[in-house]
Coordinates of all heavy atoms in Angstrom, one line a residue:
A75 N -16.3 -9.8 -7.7 CA -15.2 -10.0 -8.6 C -15.6 -10.8 -9.8 O -15.3 -10.5 -11.0 CB -14.0 -10.7 -7.9
H76 N -16.4 -11.8 -9.6 CA -16.9 -12.7 -10.7 C -17.8 -11.8 -11.7 O -17.7 -12.0 -12.9 CB -17.7 -13.8 -10.1 CG -18.2 -14.8 -11.1 ND1 -17.4 -15.5 -11.9 CD2 -19.5 -15.1 -11.5 CE1 -18.1 -16.3 -12.8 NE2 -19.4 -16.1 -12.5
A77 N -18.6 -10.9 -11.1 CA -19.4 -10.1 -12.0 C -18.6 -9.2 -12.9 O -19.0 -8.9 -14.0 CB -20.3 -9.1 -11.1
E78 N -17.3 -8.9 -12.5 CA -16.4 -8.2 -13.4 C -15.5 -9.0 -14.2 O -14.5 -8.5 -14.8 CB -15.7 -7.2 -12.5 CG -16.5 -6.1 -12.0 CD -17.2 -5.2 -13.1 OE1 -16.4 -4.8 -14.0 OE2 -18.4 -4.9 -13.0
G79 N -15.6 -10.4 -14.1 CA -14.7 -11.3 -14.8 C -13.5 -11.6 -14.1 O -12.5 -12.1 -14.8
Y80 N -13.4 -11.5 -12.8 CA -12.2 -11.8 -12.0 C -12.6 -12.9 -11.0 O -13.7 -13.2 -10.8 CB -11.7 -10.6 -11.3 CG -11.2 -9.5 -12.3 CD1 -12.0 -8.5 -12.7 CD2 -9.9 -9.5 -12.7 CE1 -11.6 -7.6 -13.6 CE2 -9.4 -8.5 -13.5 CZ -10.3 -7.6 -14.0 OH -9.8 -6.6 -14.9
S81 N -11.5 -13.4 -10.4 CA -11.7 -14.3 -9.3 C -10.8 -13.9 -8.2 O -9.8 -13.2 -8.4 CB -11.5 -15.8 -9.7 OG -10.1 -15.9 -10.0
I82 N -11.1 -14.3 -7.0 CA -10.3 -13.9 -5.8 C -9.4 -15.1 -5.4 O -9.9 -16.2 -5.4 CB -11.2 -13.5 -4.6 CG1 -11.9 -12.2 -5.0 CG2 -10.4 -13.4 -3.3 CD1 -12.9 -11.8 -3.9
T83 N -8.2 -14.9 -5.2 CA -7.2 -15.9 -4.7 C -6.6 -15.5 -3.4 O -6.2 -14.3 -3.2 CB -6.1 -16.1 -5.7 OG1 -6.7 -16.4 -7.0 CG2 -5.2 -17.2 -5.3
T84 N -6.6 -16.4 -2.5 CA -6.0 -16.1 -1.2 C -4.5 -15.8 -1.3 O -3.8 -16.4 -2.1 CB -6.3 -17.2 -0.2 OG1 -5.8 -16.8 1.1 CG2 -5.6 -18.5 -0.6
L85 N -4.0 -14.9 -0.5 CA -2.6 -14.6 -0.5 C -1.8 -15.4 0.5 O -0.7 -15.6 0.4 CB -2.4 -13.1 -0.2 CG -2.8 -12.1 -1.3 CD1 -2.6 -10.7 -0.9 CD2 -2.1 -12.4 -2.6
H86 N -2.5 -15.7 1.6 CA -1.9 -16.5 2.6 C -2.6 -17.8 2.8 O -3.8 -17.8 3.2 CB -1.8 -15.7 4.0 CG -1.0 -16.4 5.0 ND1 0.3 -16.6 4.9 CD2 -1.4 -16.9 6.2 CE1 0.7 -17.2 6.0 NE2 -0.3 -17.5 6.8
L87 N -1.9 -18.9 2.6 CA -2.6 -20.2 2.6 C -2.4 -21.0 3.9 O -3.0 -22.0 4.1 CB -2.0 -21.1 1.5 CG -2.2 -20.6 0.1 CD1 -1.5 -21.4 -0.9 CD2 -3.7 -20.5 -0.2
G88 N -1.5 -20.5 4.8 CA -1.3 -21.1 6.1 C 0.2 -21.2 6.4 O 1.0 -20.5 5.8
H89 N 0.5 -22.2 7.2 CA 1.9 -22.3 7.6 C 2.6 -23.5 7.0 O 1.9 -24.5 6.7 CB 2.0 -22.4 9.2 CG 1.4 -21.2 9.8 ND1 2.0 -19.9 9.8 CD2 0.3 -21.0 10.5 CE1 1.3 -19.1 10.4 NE2 0.2 -19.7 10.9
G90 N 3.9 -23.5 6.9 CA 4.6 -24.7 6.4 C 5.1 -24.4 5.0 O 4.7 -23.5 4.3
D91 N 6.0 -25.3 4.6 CA 6.7 -25.1 3.3 C 5.7 -25.2 2.2 O 5.8 -24.5 1.2 CB 7.9 -26.1 3.2 CG 7.5 -27.5 3.4 OD1 6.4 -27.8 3.9 OD2 8.4 -28.4 3.2
V92 N 4.8 -26.2 2.2 CA 3.8 -26.3 1.1 C 3.0 -25.0 0.9 O 2.8 -24.5 -0.2 CB 3.0 -27.6 1.2 CG1 1.9 -27.6 0.1 CG2 3.8 -28.8 1.1
A93 N 2.5 -24.6 2.0 CA 1.6 -23.3 2.0 C 2.4 -22.2 1.5 O 2.0 -21.4 0.6 CB 1.1 -23.0 3.4
E94 N 3.6 -22.0 2.0 CA 4.5 -20.9 1.5 C 4.8 -21.0 0.1 O 4.8 -20.0 -0.7 CB 5.7 -20.8 2.4 CG 5.4 -20.4 3.8 CD 6.6 -20.6 4.8 OE1 7.7 -20.8 4.3 OE2 6.4 -20.4 6.0
I95 N 5.2 -22.1 -0.4 CA 5.5 -22.2 -1.8 C 4.3 -22.1 -2.7 O 4.4 -21.5 -3.8 CB 6.3 -23.5 -2.2 CG1 7.0 -23.5 -3.5 CG2 5.4 -24.8 -2.1 CD1 8.0 -22.4 -3.7
M96 N 3.2 -22.5 -2.3 CA 1.9 -22.3 -3.1 C 1.5 -20.9 -3.1 O 1.0 -20.4 -4.1 CB 0.8 -23.2 -2.6 CG 1.1 -24.7 -2.9 SD 1.7 -25.1 -4.6 CE 0.2 -24.7 -5.5
E97 N 1.8 -20.1 -2.0 CA 1.5 -18.7 -2.1 C 2.4 -18.1 -3.1 O 1.9 -17.2 -3.9 CB 1.9 -18.1 -0.7 CG 0.9 -18.4 0.4 CD 1.3 -17.8 1.7 OE1 2.2 -17.0 1.8 OE2 0.7 -18.2 2.7
G98 N 3.7 -18.5 -3.2 CA 4.6 -18.0 -4.3 C 4.0 -18.3 -5.7 O 4.1 -17.4 -6.5
V99 N 3.5 -19.5 -5.9 CA 3.0 -19.8 -7.2 C 1.8 -18.9 -7.5 O 1.6 -18.4 -8.6 CB 2.5 -21.3 -7.2 CG1 1.7 -21.6 -8.4 CG2 3.8 -22.2 -7.1
S100 N 0.9 -18.7 -6.5 CA -0.3 -17.9 -6.7 C 0.1 -16.5 -7.1 O -0.4 -15.9 -8.0 CB -1.1 -17.9 -5.4 OG -2.2 -17.0 -5.5
L101 N 1.0 -15.9 -6.3 CA 1.5 -14.5 -6.6 C 2.1 -14.4 -8.0 O 1.8 -13.5 -8.7 CB 2.4 -14.0 -5.5 CG 1.8 -13.8 -4.1 CD1 2.9 -13.6 -3.1 CD2 0.8 -12.7 -4.2
K102 N 3.0 -15.3 -8.3 CA 3.7 -15.3 -9.6 C 2.7 -15.5 -10.7 O 2.8 -14.8 -11.8 CB 4.8 -16.3 -9.6 CG 5.8 -16.2 -10.8 CD 6.5 -14.9 -10.8 CE 7.5 -14.8 -9.7 NZ 8.3 -13.6 -9.7

Side-chain angles (χ1 to χ4, degrees):
H76 184 62
E78 291 298 316
Y80 294 90
S81 64
I82 293 178
T83 304
T84 184
L85 293 177
H86 186 66
L87 300 173
H89 301 290
D91 53 352
V92 173
E94 290 170 9
I95 194 62
M96 292 311 294
E97 286 176 14
V99 169
S100 175
L101 291 171
K102 192 60 74 176

